[in-house]
Amino acid sequence: MDTMTLMEVSQILRISEHTARNRLSMGLPMPPSFRVGRRRLFLKQEVERWLAAQAGVSGSHDH
């Protein structure tokens, strides 16, 4: 199981780790994640799938 930390995911999204935490707590769009103790982890495959879906969503708003 290939996992990524919140820091790694925030770097991919080009946002700060603090912003990523805020997005998660506010229920804003973020890749699926799960907790292990106090750590939040993301499955690499799910992050890639989520990013692909977001690319499709943002592309549909071009007018």
Side-chain angles (χ1 to χ4, degrees):
M1 180 166 54
D2 208 3
T3 59
M4 301 175 72
T5 64
L6 184 62
M7 183 191 308
E8 292 169 328
V9 171
S10 62
Q11 289 171 345
I12 289 173
L13 297 177
R14 296 193 173 124
I15 59 176
S16 71
E17 194 172 346
H18 181 75
T19 298
R21 281 187 210 285
N22 284 344
R23 282 189 179 185
L24 288 165
S25 67
M26 294 169 59
L28 295 172
M30 282 289 287
S33 63
F34 59 96
R35 294 186 70 94
V36 177
R38 293 181 52 101
R39 296 182 64 197
R40 182 165 300 274
L41 297 175
F42 300 78
L43 291 175
K44 187 172 185 176
Q45 182 177 346
E46 290 296 321
V47 171
E48 290 168 355
R49 186 177 296 140
W50 186 85
L51 287 169
Q54 296 306 302
V57 168
S58 64
S60 65
H61 294 297
D62 293 340
H63 292 290

